[in-house]
Amino acid sequence: MEQVKVLDCTLRDGGYCNNWNFGSENIKKIINGLSEANVDIIECGFLTLKESFEKDRSKYNSLSEMVGYLPQKRNNQLYVCMINYGEYDINKLPEYDATSIQGLRIAFHKKDMIQALDYCKAVKEKGYKVFIQAMVSLNYSDEEFLNLIKLSNEIEPYAFYIVDSFGVMKRKELTRLFYMVEHNLNENVLIGYHSHNNMQLSYSNAQSLIDIRTNRSLIIDSSIFGMGRGAGNLNTELFVDYLNDNIGSNYSLKPLLNVIDEVLIDFYQNSYWGYSLPNYLSAVHNAHPNYAGWLDSKKTLTIENMEEIFSMMDNDKKAVFDKKYIQDLYLKYLAVGQTQESHLEELKQKLGDKTLLLIAPGRSSIDDKDKIIDFASRNDVVTISINYCYGEFEPDYIFVSNLRRFRMLSSEKKPKSIVTSNIPADNVYLQTNYRDLLNEADMVRDNAGLMLVKFLIKLGVKNIFLAGLDGYSHDKEENYADNKMAFITHNAVLDTMNKGISEVLEQYSKEVSIRFLTQPKHIVIRN
């Protein structure tokens, strides 16, 4: 091995974890830390025209916007950024003048290969070092990959990359692609490797590459603390330490550890990245990791459910995340199931002109338990707990639309359960059609509380009181009576869920009287 270079992509790939909102001072800290650590190539973020520039985000509309973040002393290091093909007009890219970054990484999908390579050629003609990044390299047949190498040779880029976009590559697949590149790529072009850690193979694969006997120079991509979408990336701090010990490199570890301690640990605690079963499934099915993230965010599916949904996906839809496609597939999957409504008329009679008290598992269900117990003791009140069995007294019914929550119910609770058709269940009181209870608000279409309200409207109920339906705080510890039910997601998602619940309840309140017994913290209905 002639030389191994490390390219750190924290500010670009890591940005998927925090919407690239690192903060301007933190962007400087990360770049300076990487510079002090002697990391060879530092990726500063994305160059794009799809979003407006904000100084606290590592997405830029022009090269001049990056200059203030770059150290004056370069120490022979390269500073680069990435362009997703189609997001930046080549006419807006100035001729290279050594005032900003030196290189551009051009990422593209197979369908755009010819046009993207023309773009790469134009970038090189402007004087920049060009990195050819053909995403999802395993999606190319051998013949297609060899053709990609041949066309890249005509450009003579600075580097040609093997890209494991979905973290699915095993060692034998990586080495097969490497030898194809080594034997056919112009000898002056560096070979790069970009990985994701869905199957925990980034570190071992990187070691395998540098153990290969070759005269070629390599670039290995990594990010500090492994920060990156889904399962994350190869850890820069681990890999440079390995290089120091095994091939005599001279990277400094302390500046990287300081960046983790002073900057990245806060992002990690607010938006976890790393190995998970959903990310493993996306790799197994060679699918975009955002599909795994979206399915996991529903918090309604078991791993078996997710596996079945991935198995339903069309191969040509896997490479690029399509939110509408996965939404439709999710609803299609959950809509398949049985109904059992033999007790439906009986339930209508039992509810009759009763007042319904619906008890959700929010914190107020415990904080205001005396009020709830007192109200439930009235003769005209029927109680239904939502996706769990309320612990302060025995509710009359339990409504469940979430398979995970249904599995938590003890067997003696199931005969009083009203469940939706997506749940395989026997010995329940009633099973009703899942799809019929959905609403039109995107993030809360299948919110269990809203589904129950719609079900009761269909039964002709006139008065509904809500308890424990508090909405979602940014502090997950404030959301549930039982913290085992808590989940972590982005604050913007929680805000959207609160807004959606409020809007749908407001809409339903035109058909039935809806009042709060316990005070909601994040939901508002304007009657």
Side-chain angles (χ1 to χ4, degrees):
M1 185 71 62
E2 183 176 317
Q3 186 179 18
V4 178
K5 296 178 183 289
V6 175
L7 184 151
D8 183 274
C9 57
T10 305
L11 286 169
R12 199 267 309 167
D13 229 335
Y16 287 102
C17 300
N18 61 1
N19 198 29
W20 296 273
N21 194 3
F22 289 91
S24 59
E25 290 305 311
N26 285 336
I27 292 173
K28 292 177 184 177
K29 283 183 179 180
I30 292 169
I31 291 176
N32 287 336
L34 290 165
S35 177
E36 292 170 14
N38 300 317
V39 170
D40 307 280
I41 307 173
I42 300 170
E43 188 174 43
C44 302
F46 272 114
L47 185 62
T48 179
L49 294 175
K50 286 189 69 175
E51 302 174 40
S52 298
F53 171 67
E54 298 174 26
K55 66 180 181 64
D56 288 326
R57 301 179 73 225
S58 53
K59 282 193 169 185
Y60 314 93
N61 296 152
S62 68
L63 299 186
S64 61
E65 292 163 353
M66 285 181 239
V67 173
Y69 300 116
L70 303 179
Q72 291 183 346
K73 189 176 180 181
R74 297 288 178 100
N75 296 327
N76 295 319
Q77 292 160 314
L78 288 181
Y79 292 84
V80 302
C81 70
M82 179 173 281
I83 296 175
N84 281 328
Y85 173 72
E87 292 189 6
Y88 203 82
D89 184 352
I90 191 67
N91 295 312
K92 294 188 178 294
L93 185 68
E95 298 288 331
Y96 176 70
D97 62 5
T99 62
S100 184
I101 60 171
Q102 298 114 302
L104 287 164
R105 300 186 351 130
I106 313 302
F108 57 91
H109 291 284
K110 186 169 75 170
K111 65 182 179 63
D112 299 318
M113 182 184 76
I114 299 301
Q115 301 94 316
L117 290 175
D118 287 341
Y119 188 91
C120 291
K121 181 179 179 182
V123 170
K124 184 183 178 186
E125 288 173 350
K126 287 180 177 278
Y128 299 92
K129 296 182 185 298
V130 174
F131 298 65
I132 292 180
Q133 314 264 155
M135 291 188 282
V136 200
S137 296
L138 281 179
N139 278 2
Y140 291 76
S141 67
D142 286 1
E143 183 179 356
E144 289 169 334
F145 201 62
L146 287 169
N147 186 48
L148 171 63
I149 296 169
K150 176 185 175 182
L151 295 174
S152 298
N153 281 336
E154 295 173 7
I155 299 170
E156 290 194 64
Y158 177 76
F160 176 94
Y161 262 74
I162 298 168
V163 183
D164 186 13
S165 303
F166 302 154
V168 67
M169 249 181 232
K170 307 286 178 57
R171 180 183 301 184
K172 64 180 181 180
E173 295 163 327
L174 174 59
T175 53
R176 179 177 63 84
L177 289 179
F178 176 80
Y179 284 122
M180 287 174 63
V181 177
E182 184 191 38
H183 292 153
N184 293 279
L185 186 69
N186 186 308
E187 63 183 12
N188 296 320
V189 180
L190 280 69
I191 301 175
Y193 171 57
H194 180 86
S195 64
H196 286 265
N197 213 18
N198 298 54
M199 300 183 77
Q200 296 289 277
L201 294 174
S202 288
Y203 191 36
S204 60
N205 280 347
Q207 292 178 38
S208 296
L209 276 187
I210 64 173
D211 286 342
I212 293 175
R213 293 183 177 276
T214 176
N215 292 324
R216 305 297 294 254
S217 292
L218 281 182
I219 305 174
I220 306 293
D221 286 11
S222 60
S223 61
I224 307 174
F225 210 39
M227 187 178 187
R229 175 168 51 196
N233 299 73
L234 171 64
N235 292 53
T236 301
E237 67 279 5
L238 296 181
F239 189 57
V240 299
D241 191 46
Y242 178 86
L243 293 178
N244 286 346
D245 287 344
N246 289 276
I247 66 170
S249 298
N250 189 33
Y251 298 103
S252 178
L253 198 58
K254 185 176 178 180
L256 302 176
L257 301 181
N258 287 339
V259 169
I260 294 172
D261 185 47
E262 296 175 12
V263 179
L264 300 188
I265 196 69
D266 287 339
F267 293 122
Y268 180 77
Q269 290 172 345
N270 289 322
S271 182
Y272 168 82
W273 61 84
Y275 177 77
S276 69
L277 286 177
N279 286 318
Y280 164 78
L281 287 180
S282 70
V284 167
H285 289 274
N286 197 27
H288 196 289
N290 281 7
Y291 285 122
W294 191 91
L295 290 171
D296 189 42
S297 72
K298 302 304 292 180
K299 305 302 177 187
T300 59
L301 300 167
T302 65
I303 290 300
E304 301 100 299
N305 297 149
M306 292 187 196
E307 166 72 27
E308 290 166 358
I309 292 174
F310 273 115
S311 297
M312 292 167 61
M313 294 181 70
D314 296 328
N315 286 331
D316 61 356
K317 300 294 292 186
K318 290 181 178 180
V320 180
F321 178 66
D322 184 333
K323 184 177 180 181
K324 184 178 186 307
Y325 175 73
I326 195 62
Q327 285 176 327
D328 291 345
L329 202 62
Y330 168 79
L331 294 176
K332 178 182 177 181
Y333 174 79
L334 292 186
V336 175
Q338 62 183 9
T339 60
Q340 183 275 103
E341 298 187 324
S342 58
H343 289 120
L344 189 61
E345 288 302 318
E346 177 184 272
L347 183 61
K348 284 183 181 180
Q349 294 298 320
K350 286 185 176 181
L351 299 185
D353 58 357
K354 298 284 189 179
T355 293
L356 274 292
L357 174 60
L358 314 186
I359 309 171
R363 175 67 70 85
S364 67
S365 67
I366 295 300
D367 292 346
D368 295 328
K369 64 181 180 180
D370 292 340
K371 183 189 291 187
I372 295 171
I373 293 169
D374 182 62
F375 189 87
S377 67
R378 290 169 32 180
N379 290 330
D380 65 331
V381 172
V382 174
T383 57
I384 306 179
S385 61
I386 304 170
N387 268 342
Y388 82 129
C389 185
Y390 188 54
E392 300 303 317
F393 59 80
E394 194 73 17
D396 296 304
Y397 301 97
I398 304 168
F399 179 84
V400 187
S401 65
N402 184 319
L403 180 56
R404 284 182 176 179
R405 300 282 176 82
F406 182 74
R407 288 182 171 179
M408 295 178 185
L409 290 181
S410 60
S411 57
E412 63 267 20
K413 307 295 183 186
K414 292 179 180 178
K416 63 167 62 180
S417 298
I418 301 166
V419 303
T420 47
S421 58
N422 56 299
I423 297 176
D426 295 314
N427 195 32
V428 296
Y429 180 70
L430 187 145
Q431 190 161 27
T432 190
N433 189 282
Y434 167 88
R435 187 179 287 274
D436 290 347
L437 302 184
L438 303 176
N439 62 71
E440 297 302 318
D442 185 21
M443 289 300 299
V444 292
R445 289 191 72 189
D446 58 350
N447 174 272
L450 299 178
M451 294 178 85
L452 176 55
V453 172
K454 188 170 183 177
F455 176 70
L456 295 174
I457 290 173
K458 288 176 176 289
L459 294 187
V461 167
K462 301 300 181 185
N463 292 296
I464 295 175
F465 280 79
L466 303 173
L469 193 68
D470 304 335
Y472 298 98
S473 166
H474 292 178
D475 181 356
K476 69 180 180 66
E477 302 294 330
E478 297 180 1
N479 286 330
Y480 287 94
D482 182 352
N483 281 332
K484 292 179 181 178
M485 301 176 78
F487 60 88
I488 300 173
T489 190
H490 296 295
N491 291 341
V493 172
L494 297 174
D495 294 340
T496 302
M497 292 170 70
N498 289 333
K499 184 173 183 289
I501 293 171
S502 299
E503 290 175 350
V504 175
L505 284 178
E506 190 171 324
Q507 174 189 337
Y508 289 167
S509 68
K510 297 173 183 176
E511 302 179 63
V512 63
S513 173
I514 299 176
R515 284 167 282 182
F516 285 95
L517 181 63
T518 60
Q519 184 63 41
K521 298 179 176 66
H522 308 284
I523 296 172
V524 178
I525 303 180
R526 294 180 294 273
N527 291 313

